[in-house]
Amino acid sequence: MLIDGRKLAAELGAELTGRIAALGTAPGLAIVVATDDASTAWYVRSLLRTAEKLGIAARRIDLPTDADAATIRAALAEAAATPGTHGVICQTPLPGGLTLTDVGSAIPPEADVDGANPVSLGLLAAGAPDAFPPATAAAVLRILDHEGVDLVGRRAVVIGRSNVVGKPAALMLLARHATVTVCHSRTPDLPAVAREADVLVAAVGRPELVTAEYVKPGAVVIDVGTNATADGGLVGDVATGAVEQVAAAVTPVPGGVGAVTTMVLMSHVVAAAERRGSER
Ligand code: NAP
């Protein structure tokens, strides 16, 4: 079975519309961009479109593509301090080999709607209820919940250990009482480890790495990967056609995790605005 991420995204959007109306003011999102990367530009345009449809006031803040860490940090902090702004995100790739960890701490945790501040990851690890996980990792859990997957005591295997996907997804699965294994590029016999999973999350960035050989019959497979193809298309980390024959359910790419991620990010902006109430 293919899991329909777009349908879930539409349901989440409908729920958000009601919450935004109840706020009485438009939640504000600032998107800081210091790259001319084409896929980032596409993603930002899609965020702006979705925000507009929902009634979220999103704005793009462009920085030079050679901006240094101090400049990016200053822009993030200034955006967060601007009245009417409830959430701030920073697009990657960043110039000069900078990583999100180098600049993310300039976003205060209460406005860190995509979990870029290492403090947010720490809060997530500690089980703090208000921590914003990165939207992609949160989308993985939203999909599993929507599919009614019981995580308690189940084996979950996450392939990938990045701060934006693998680690936070593993922490969230652990918080939900799954028994979690995190794999990476040095994991020996990856197919054998993956085959232990009741829930398999692939967040690798390697086109169709996960074949049927990686999947236990009846497992639920969540494909986070988005890999550009030569013809301008998109392919995931999972060989969907073959894996579908073995798994109970699998998310497609496109139309799976990505669609839900955008709506989860918007839900974090709304939650940030709700928490701050009439402060701003
Ligand atoms: P990343 O920072 O490059 O991390 C990739 C992880 O995969 C690393 O932990 C790496 O191991 C591991 N890995 C690489 N090759 C491997 C192999 N052959 N076997 C096992 N593990 C391997 O990437 P990311 O930012 O987490 O993103 C992962 C994928 O998700 C990418 O395709 C990205 O485009 C996609 N993504 C999608 C969304 C969405 O909304 N759908 C959002 C964010 C990212 P090491 O740590 O040992 O290097």
Side-chain angles (χ1 to χ4, degrees), residues 136 160-162 164-165 184-185 190 203-206 224-227 258 261:
T136 306
R161 56 174 164 180
S162 74
V164 285
V165 195
H184 45 77
S185 64
L190 187 58
V204 192
R206 299 274 180 276
V224 181
T226 50
N227 308 290
T261 296

Side-chain angles (χ1 to χ4, degrees), residues 16-27 86 269-278:
L16 285 182
T17 309
R19 283 168 61 190
I20 292 167
L23 269 172
T25 175
H86 303 96
V269 180
V270 174
E274 286 169 343
R275 285 179 203 167
R276 273 188 269 172
S278 56

Side-chain angles (χ1 to χ4, degrees), residues 43 92 114 135-137 139 158-167 182-187 190 202-207 209 214 223-228 234-237 253 256-262:
Y43 179 60
T92 55
D114 207 10
T136 306
V158 179
I159 313 178
R161 56 174 164 180
S162 74
N163 289 341
V164 285
V165 195
K167 270 184 217 162
V182 183
C183 302
H184 45 77
S185 64
R186 318 285 173 91
T187 301
L190 187 58
V204 192
R206 299 274 180 276
L209 173 87
Y214 284 60
D223 187 357
V224 181
T226 50
N227 308 290
L234 210 56
V235 66
D237 290 343
V253 176
V257 174
V260 179
T261 296
T262 299

Side-chain angles (χ1 to χ4, degrees), residues 69-89:
T71 305
I72 299 168
R73 290 178 59 84
L76 293 169
E78 190 189 328
T82 303
T85 303
H86 303 96
V88 177
I89 63 173

